[in-house]
Amino acid sequence: GAVVSQHPSRVICKSGTSVKIECRSLDFQATTMFWYRQFPKQSLMLMATSNEGSKATYEQGVEKDKFLINHASLTLSTLTVTSAHPEDSSFYICSATAWTGWKDEQYFGPGTRLTVT
Amino acid sequence: GENVEQHPSTLSVQEGDSAVIKCTYSDSASNYFPWYKQELGKGPQLIIDIRSNVGEKKDQRIAVTLNKTAKHFSLHITETQPEDSAVYFCAASIGSGGGADGLTFGKGTHLIIQP
């Protein structure tokens, strides 16, 4: 099946700094990628929809100036958490849309654990 | 927006028995309903999905049923095995379904298979 990777898998940063997380579709091109956030023992919450070559669409309550999304190519989307604070510590997961031959399907990356100290 | 409720939050069954997890959704426009399995520290993996034009779908030990009138769908796992232990999430999507739209997830069910 389609493979989605994320880098880094874990990152620890100091409060006030920025962190960039990469999401790559390894063996397919993805016109649409999604970013989710998951707090411990909770569900995944959609943060934004990222379309190649256009601005991301953010869900209500998600600050677009804090969570910068760039989808520069059909295989790469990046999420930058700017001026990170401890409350931004979370598990960030991306997904990418792949055409299976008869339907679109979302494939998820392994996630990135962000800890802000 | 869409709201997905999932029950139970924790389910413990004996190895070999069946497990059933139930979800309800609020938006009648939703027409794509996937189920994901998530192991600790990993991203979710799709295990089965169903679209609104189908009432039931089966893949080996896993089946999903959908009742559009009642707006609920269920995951059934038969002959459970220790490797089935994980957190399971249901989700719903509005639109053409599948990969074009973001998913609204349920809160998850921690399935524990007792040996």
Side-chain angles (χ1 to χ4, degrees):
Chain A
V3 179
V4 177
S5 71
Q6 281 184 243
H7 179 80
S9 57
R10 292 177 180 271
V11 58
I12 300 172
C13 71
K14 292 186 186 246
S15 188
T17 61
S18 295
V19 173
K20 181 186 283 189
I21 302 169
E22 291 185 350
C23 176
R24 292 182 186 273
S25 55
L26 295 186
D27 49 1
F28 65 100
Q29 293 184 328
T31 53
T32 304
M33 290 184 172
F34 301 91
W35 287 95
Y36 295 83
R37 181 164 60 180
Q38 185 178 31
F39 291 108
K41 297 186 178 180
Q42 293 191 27
S43 190
L44 288 79
M45 299 295 294
L46 179 65
M47 298 175 67
T49 302
S50 169
N51 290 296
E52 186 265 337
S54 63
K55 289 184 179 180
T57 303
Y58 291 82
E59 294 299 301
Q60 194 171 14
V62 178
E63 299 174 59
K64 60 182 178 182
D65 294 331
K66 182 169 183 60
F67 298 100
L68 301 179
I69 292 172
N70 184 279
H71 194 157
S73 77
L74 288 172
T75 60
L76 173 65
S77 176
T78 60
L79 169 69
T80 301
V81 183
T82 62
S83 188
H85 288 98
E87 56 265 31
D88 298 324
S89 297
S90 187
F91 194 48
Y92 291 88
I93 307 173
C94 71
S95 70
T97 301
W99 174 249
T100 64
W102 63 282
K103 63 173 182 175
D104 283 325
E105 200 165 287
Q106 277 192 48
Y107 293 89
F108 282 82
T112 296
R113 174 77 57 197
L114 170 64
T115 303
V116 184
T117 61
Chain B
E2 175 67 283
N3 182 47
V4 177
E5 299 282 341
Q6 183 172 347
H7 299 279
S9 56
T10 304
L11 178 60
S12 181
V13 301
Q14 288 293 123
E15 182 178 351
D17 288 350
S18 295
V20 180
I21 302 170
K22 298 182 179 182
C23 288
T24 61
Y25 61 99
S26 61
D27 195 326
S28 56
S30 289
N31 58 10
Y32 176 65
F33 308 94
W35 285 88
Y36 290 89
K37 177 182 181 182
Q38 187 179 29
E39 296 176 343
L40 192 63
K42 297 183 179 179
Q45 276 196 304
L46 179 71
I47 55 171
I48 196 167
D49 59 8
I50 193 168
R51 282 178 166 76
S52 60
N53 57 347
V54 175
E56 184 173 355
K57 185 177 177 181
K58 190 173 181 180
D59 182 5
Q60 299 182 337
R61 297 187 296 112
I62 296 172
V64 57
T65 58
L66 171 65
N67 183 327
K68 280 222 77 177
T69 304
K71 290 191 279 191
H72 66 70
F73 55 113
S74 300
L75 176 72
H76 304 251
I77 305 175
T78 58
E79 301 172 26
T80 53
Q81 300 166 5
E83 52 265 35
D84 294 332
S85 295
V87 178
Y88 290 80
F89 290 97
C90 63
S93 175
I94 296 172
S96 59
D101 304 286
L103 296 165
T104 300
F105 282 84
K107 289 189 184 299
T109 295
H110 186 191
L111 177 61
I112 302 165
I113 307 302
Q114 305 275 9

